[in-house]
Amino acid sequence: VKAFTLQLGGWSRGLEFAMSIGRIKIVRPDEMESEGLDRTELESIKRVFERLDRKNDGKIDKQEIAKQFEVLGYKPKKSTDYGTSEVEDMIWEVDDDCDGMIDWENFVQLYVRCRRDKTGCEPKRLFNLIEFMINDKDGGGTINEDEIMEVLYHRYGKEAMTRMTEEVFKHDRDGDKELDFQDFLKIVNAGMNNQHGEKEEKPTAKPTKKRIVGSTGRTR
C-alpha cells in the first residue's frame, strides 16, 4: 500500500491507494488534524453538524436548518429580496456545489473561512448559528457570559472584546448572564457593524502646514 497526501483547496485529504486492486480510501477531514484547526475544534464542529443533520444522511438541507431555528426561537424570513427564503439564501452563500445542501466539506470550509476572516466580508449568517451551537454544548438554547466573551475575543480581538462588554449586558434582557440565540445575534451583528464602521471612518492624516519665510521675514 502506497500512501500520500493530496492538498486540495487548503485542505489535506489522506488518500491510501491499494495499488494491487485499485481501491481508494478517503480519510475525511474530521479524522485528522487540519491546518489551523485542532482536534478539539474539529470535534466541536462535527458535534454541531450531527445535531443539524437530523436525517443522518451526511447533508444539511433547508428543512433541517429551519427546524434548528425553530428550536432556538428564531423566525427566519420566508421571502427575501431575491425571491427565496432566508434559509435558502444562507445555504446558497456557502453551497459550493450548488446542490441546495451543505455536506461535511462545505460545513468545515465555511467555518474556517469565517473564523479566519479579518475583513468582515465573509457571509456569516450560517456561521453565527454554528458558533452559537458550538458554545451551547448541552443544547439548552443559551450560552453564558464566558462563552460570549470568548466569541467576541476570537472575532474582534481583545480590545474590541473589552469595549463590547457593556454591550453584552445591555442585550441580556433578563440579567441572568445567559444569552439566547437572538441575544447572541444582536451582539455579534453589532460587532460586525462596528467593524465595518471603523474601516469606513478611519481618519485621514491632516496636511502638514509648511512655514515659508519670505524676504520680509514673515511666515506665510
Side-chain angles (χ1 to χ4, degrees):
V1 175
K2 185 178 181 181
F4 65 91
T5 300
L6 178 64
Q7 192 78 15
L8 291 176
W11 286 92
S12 295
R13 286 184 177 180
L15 300 179
E16 288 185 355
F17 283 80
M19 302 301 291
S20 59
I21 55 176
R23 290 185 306 175
I24 299 176
K25 178 184 178 182
I26 299 179
V27 182
R28 287 175 22 168
D30 59 314
E31 297 172 345
M32 66 180 71
E33 291 190 22
S34 299
E35 183 179 357
L37 291 178
D38 59 29
R39 186 163 295 278
T40 300
E41 283 184 293
L42 285 170
E43 289 174 352
S44 296
I45 299 168
K46 184 180 179 183
R47 172 172 51 81
V48 171
F49 184 86
E50 291 174 346
R51 282 172 60 188
L52 288 169
D53 183 19
R54 296 172 183 273
K55 298 174 185 175
N56 199 30
D57 59 1
K59 292 189 175 184
I60 299 169
D61 58 29
K62 62 182 181 180
Q63 289 85 6
E64 289 167 319
I65 294 175
K67 180 61 179 179
Q68 185 60 38
F69 279 146
E70 181 182 338
V71 170
L72 294 173
Y74 177 74
K75 296 181 179 179
K77 296 178 182 177
K78 293 183 178 180
S79 181
T80 67
D81 294 339
Y82 300 103
T84 55
S85 70
E86 182 179 352
V87 172
E88 288 172 320
D89 282 356
M90 292 168 64
I91 292 176
W92 178 84
E93 289 174 341
V94 297
D95 180 18
D96 293 338
D97 54 9
C98 300
D99 64 351
M101 294 181 285
I102 302 169
D103 60 19
W104 169 251
E105 187 175 356
N106 289 154
F107 196 77
V108 176
Q109 288 178 348
L110 81 88
Y111 177 85
V112 172
R113 285 197 302 265
C114 290
R115 184 75 171 202
R116 295 176 178 173
D117 178 37
K118 302 300 182 184
T119 66
C121 296
E122 285 289 342
K124 288 190 170 65
R125 288 186 291 179
L126 188 54
F127 177 69
N128 288 337
L129 175 61
I130 296 170
E131 195 162 43
F132 182 85
M133 292 179 68
I134 286 174
N135 287 284
D136 178 22
K137 298 177 180 64
D138 62 358
T142 61
I143 62 176
N144 63 34
E145 177 186 359
D146 291 338
E147 289 163 341
I148 186 61
M149 298 308 287
E150 183 178 353
V151 169
L152 296 178
Y153 174 78
H154 282 298
R155 288 201 184 196
Y156 310 118
K158 183 177 180 180
E159 183 179 344
M161 179 195 71
T162 302
R163 189 171 64 246
M164 293 176 68
T165 300
E166 293 182 3
E167 188 75 13
V168 171
F169 294 110
K170 184 175 76 173
H171 287 297
D172 184 13
R173 295 190 296 265
D174 50 19
D176 63 355
K177 295 186 179 181
E178 291 282 331
L179 307 176
D180 62 22
F181 185 60
Q182 294 183 71
D183 292 327
F184 175 81
L185 286 181
K186 289 178 182 178
I187 293 164
V188 295
N189 288 336
M192 289 175 63
N193 292 336
N194 290 339
Q195 189 179 43
H196 286 298
E198 288 173 1
K199 290 178 181 178
E200 293 173 359
E201 297 173 8
K202 282 185 177 179
T204 55
K206 293 183 179 179
T208 303
K209 294 182 179 179
K210 294 183 179 180
R211 297 182 66 200
I212 303 176
V213 180
S215 58
T216 60
R218 295 179 180 177
T219 301
R220 299 201 295 264

